[in-house]
Amino acid sequence: MSAMSPTVEAGTAATSKRRAAHLGPERRRPQILDVALEIAVESGISAVTVVAIAQRMKVTRPVVYAAFPGRTQILEALIAREERYFGEAIAQILRNRQVDATEGVFIDGFVALLTAVQARPQAWLLLYGSPDVEVMDLFGRGRSVVSARCAKLLKPTLRSWGTLDAEAKLPALVELWVSSGEGAVRTLLAQDDAAPTWTPDSLGSFIGEAVYRALRTA
């Protein structure tokens, strides 16, 4: 078979570029945000630029600009998207979850959390590994929601357990619960993928048991 002529090669390259451009802004936006997330996890929010995104996607900068006016809008859309994903994940984990005197309820909650982390690790790596102000704001908002929900669930449970000075202990116990979840997430994300020590089930069970015992005996 004869080698492709330079003219045909050039035509093929031009066709590929036209097809890339013709995907349209609506179809390009999720791709751009996915690439922006990859870059942010690898190098930080400051490394997310239109040029970096275009190079990673192997498209021209006008293709990116057709989907977003500029870098600021890309970052705003990325943070908004990840906040929505986190909100949905946390809502699913805590939905209709009545914390009672059983260890299994705590285990189920931590397993659900870590399963969500495993399903979307890059987003959680951004949340837990970035020092950028935008990401820290997102982390703070998410943590406030989780803490408030955990306090609402735990308060009647401490009463049913007969915990002494339950009102005074509640903030500290909620902090213990939430911080344990954050530690579990970091542990899952930090392990070697080639030889993982934990799965969401095994780590969720371990942390769930430990938190239940700590709260139950407080």
Side-chain angles (χ1 to χ4, degrees), residues 45-214:
I45 288 288
S46 61
V48 180
T49 65
V50 172
V51 172
I53 292 170
Q55 290 176 343
R56 180 78 60 103
M57 295 179 69
K58 294 181 171 57
V59 300
T60 61
R61 280 177 288 176
V63 172
V64 180
Y65 281 122
F68 293 98
R71 176 180 183 271
T72 298
Q73 289 75 21
I74 292 172
L75 293 179
E76 289 175 349
L78 176 63
I79 296 299
R81 187 183 74 167
E82 299 315 311
E83 186 168 26
R84 184 173 68 254
Y85 281 136
F86 293 138
E88 291 171 355
I90 295 301
Q92 184 63 37
I93 292 165
L94 296 177
R95 180 176 292 126
N96 299 325
R97 191 175 297 282
Q98 296 298 318
V99 177
D100 52 26
T102 67
E103 188 178 84
V105 171
F106 288 88
I107 291 174
D108 289 346
F110 280 107
V111 169
L113 170 64
L114 297 174
T115 299
V117 172
Q118 188 178 62
R120 194 174 170 76
Q122 282 193 320
W124 293 84
L125 279 168
L126 176 65
L127 183 67
Y128 280 85
S130 174
D132 296 288
V133 173
E134 297 95 332
V135 180
M136 292 306 295
D137 286 344
L138 170 58
F139 180 86
R141 291 194 298 272
R143 198 179 200 278
S144 295
V145 170
V146 172
S147 295
R149 179 62 174 152
C150 288
K152 184 177 180 180
L153 291 170
L154 188 57
K155 188 173 183 178
T157 300
L158 295 179
R159 289 174 181 167
S160 70
W161 285 343
T163 303
L164 296 177
D165 300 320
E167 290 286 343
K169 292 177 180 177
L170 180 62
L173 295 178
V174 168
E175 178 63 25
L176 183 154
W177 188 5
V178 174
S179 296
S180 296
E182 293 167 357
V185 170
R186 290 190 171 94
T187 298
L188 191 70
L189 291 172
Q191 64 183 351
D192 183 0
D193 292 337
T197 303
W198 300 100
T199 66
D201 284 340
S202 63
L203 184 56
S205 296
F206 171 66
I207 298 296
E209 290 173 7
V211 171
Y212 168 77
R213 292 169 185 170

